[in-house]
Amino acid sequence: MTASVPAQPRHPALAGADPELAALVAAEEQLQADTLRLIPSENYVSAAVLEASGTVLQNKYSEGYPGKRYYEGQQVIDQIETLTAERARALFAMDHANVQPYSGSPANLAVYLAFLQPGDTVLGMSLPMGGHLTHGWGVSATGTWFNGVQYGVRRDTGRVDLDEVRDLALAERPKLIFCGGTAVPRTIDFAGFAEIAREVGAVLVADIAHIAGLVAGGAHPSPAPHVDVVSTTTHKTLRGPRGAMLLSRAEHARALDRAVFPGLQGGPHNQTTAAIGVALKQAATPEFRAYAHAVVANARALGEELAARGFDLVSGGTDNHLLLVDLTSKHIPGKPAAKALDRAGIVANYNAVPYDPRKPFDPSGIRLGTPALTSRGVPVSEMGRIAEWIDRVLTGDEDTIGKVRAEVKELMDAYPAPGLPVG
């Protein structure tokens, strides 16, 4: 089916220059408006963040840092980057902030470049257990160029065992330790990891890409008092554009800055820097704090409703925005489950669960999150209905899926998404 441009296009210049692409953008806007987005790493940015992302800052090339550029005409750009970095330092209570990384993976690569030599050992969470590719996993450059050692979670609890982490650290003597991941539904014990890092003389990095907004809003403990470096994306729970930041203690500022530029990147994406600045200002408000706590309340309620319907939750529930659901007892793998939910207008992703006997591209679980639905204002009282929809879709036929799709659309119409057209 070919998308069509609305009679009065929302993006008139784009529609005039490229109707085909304008139609696709409009179709994506409609898809985001009509569907219940439960992918934990997705969210809706505000209209202000969206607007900042599309400004004339796109026209600038700004290699270097404020006051030390390789191009002239940076008088305004320097102020924008300085302001954004100041907001980042204040919000996360860190000495230094670099707001130039293009995304989360390049930010983590910069950490390696700042502190390690090829072949050095890094300790991170295993990818199938909830970690990230860039924490030393084998198929990543970080596991190819460095000696990646992984910790996991306990079979009986689904939680990180710090005794195991300590034993691995003492045996392997890593120079770098990552805490955090992409499918971790429980509170990260930054203080516990810091104690282990001190024992072995390792640099401790908290990758809070998923929970940055919860940290900013006081809904998750802050890593700031405990770690050397904080790496984070700026989308997800922080509700900013697709970018990243590195924050650190003052002693690591120069090494990290040199690793980002000239080590890995050229000129920063200034329009993204400005949009990050907007998001950081919004994240410092009481309204955002209420949002962060509502994200967690919704996730806990959704988890309880799913558990009441016989779904198995890794670690038994959640402390944050994320639920990892093992569908083994439901006799449906994660991939067909995610596709069935998608047909019903419920957008999730299939995901490996700890000790998963199935292959990564056809795993046993799905991953759910509440940041996006909370941004729409969907209240905790609706989590029971959402759990019921998931149950109906995964146990029903195509007729059931169609009925749920209509009900999802009705709920989404009642809670319009920020930054998207209404109607």
Side-chain angles (χ1 to χ4, degrees):
M1 180 177 177
T2 303
S4 59
V5 182
Q8 294 182 327
R10 189 166 183 242
H11 309 287
L14 177 59
D18 192 336
E20 184 179 13
L21 189 55
L24 291 170
V25 171
E28 176 62 25
E29 288 177 339
Q30 195 63 53
L31 186 66
Q32 291 188 23
D34 292 347
T35 53
L36 175 61
R37 300 169 68 201
L38 291 180
I39 293 178
S41 51
E42 290 191 349
N43 211 334
Y44 298 97
V45 300
S46 69
V49 169
L50 199 61
E51 190 171 311
S53 299
T55 59
V56 296
L57 301 176
Q58 180 75 243
N59 300 336
K60 298 295 293 185
Y61 207 93
S62 310
E63 278 191 352
Y65 291 101
K68 299 178 181 179
R69 305 285 188 182
Y70 288 81
Y71 292 76
E72 300 308 318
Q74 306 299 321
Q75 299 91 328
V76 176
I77 298 300
D78 280 3
Q79 294 178 67
I80 290 170
E81 186 172 328
T82 298
L83 178 62
T84 300
E86 287 173 351
R87 289 175 177 176
R89 290 195 301 271
L91 187 63
F92 291 99
M94 297 291 286
D95 298 330
H96 178 70
N98 187 310
V99 295
Q100 289 195 9
Y102 299 149
S103 196
S105 293
N108 284 347
L109 285 173
V111 173
Y112 284 84
L113 186 58
F115 297 109
L116 303 185
Q117 295 295 320
D120 284 347
T121 298
V122 57
L123 177 61
M125 193 176 200
S126 167
L127 182 66
M129 299 293 175
H132 192 260
L133 281 166
T134 57
H135 296 179
W137 192 243
V139 298
S140 163
T142 62
T144 301
W145 297 336
F146 303 93
N147 176 35
V149 178
Q150 279 77 44
Y151 58 88
V153 296
R154 290 176 58 104
R155 283 183 179 270
D156 56 343
T157 66
R159 298 173 185 247
V160 172
D161 182 348
L162 285 182
D163 289 335
E164 178 204 0
V165 177
R166 176 175 283 105
D167 289 344
L168 277 170
L170 290 171
E172 302 289 343
R173 294 286 167 174
K175 292 187 177 180
L176 193 67
I177 297 176
F178 277 97
C179 55
T182 63
V184 182
R186 294 299 183 176
T187 301
I188 301 170
D189 185 354
F190 299 121
F193 274 99
E195 183 179 333
I196 294 168
R198 284 194 297 270
E199 281 188 64
V200 298
V203 172
L204 179 60
V205 183
D207 187 336
I208 63 168
H210 263 267
I211 58 170
L214 304 184
V215 171
H220 187 288
S222 171
H226 309 290
V227 306
D228 298 290
V229 177
V230 172
S231 174
T232 185
T233 53
T234 49
H235 42 291
K236 301 173 186 163
T237 53
L238 195 57
R239 293 203 297 200
R242 295 191 65 85
M245 302 186 296
L246 288 170
L247 304 107
S248 72
R249 300 185 188 279
E251 65 200 81
H252 302 308
R254 186 170 185 273
L256 286 168
D257 284 353
R258 287 179 59 84
V260 174
F261 174 84
L264 288 175
Q265 299 183 179
H269 298 167
N270 296 307
Q271 73 282 3
T272 301
T273 303
I276 291 171
V278 175
L280 293 170
K281 182 175 182 178
Q282 293 174 340
T285 63
E287 292 80 8
F288 188 90
R289 187 176 184 87
Y291 162 75
H293 285 272
V295 168
V296 175
N298 279 339
R300 284 176 171 162
L302 180 58
E304 290 167 2
E305 293 286 354
L306 288 169
R309 290 165 173 80
F311 287 88
D312 295 327
L313 307 180
V314 172
S315 80
T318 183
D319 297 325
N320 53 36
H321 66 301
L322 182 151
L323 294 158
L324 190 56
V325 186
D326 186 343
L327 295 173
T328 302
S329 65
K330 293 291 184 177
H331 308 292
I332 179 172
K335 191 171 185 177
K339 290 186 177 297
L341 289 168
D342 191 50
R343 293 197 298 277
I346 300 171
V347 187
N349 69 277
Y350 55 89
N351 207 95
V353 298
Y355 306 100
D356 200 330
R358 301 180 65 87
K359 296 179 179 179
F361 199 63
D362 186 23
S364 298
I366 55 174
R367 192 178 61 147
L368 308 174
T370 55
L373 70 85
T374 308
S375 289
R376 298 181 77 130
V378 179
V380 72
S381 59
E382 294 288 358
M383 296 307 110
R385 179 150 59 139
I386 294 171
E388 180 191 0
W389 286 336
I390 293 171
D391 193 26
R392 285 168 59 194
V393 168
L394 299 187
T395 58
D397 55 16
E398 287 301 318
D399 183 58
T400 300
I401 289 174
K403 291 177 180 177
V404 170
R405 181 70 186 90
E407 295 171 22
V408 169
K409 173 68 163 59
E410 184 179 4
L411 181 67
M412 296 299 93
D413 286 346
Y415 295 97
L420 294 182
V422 177

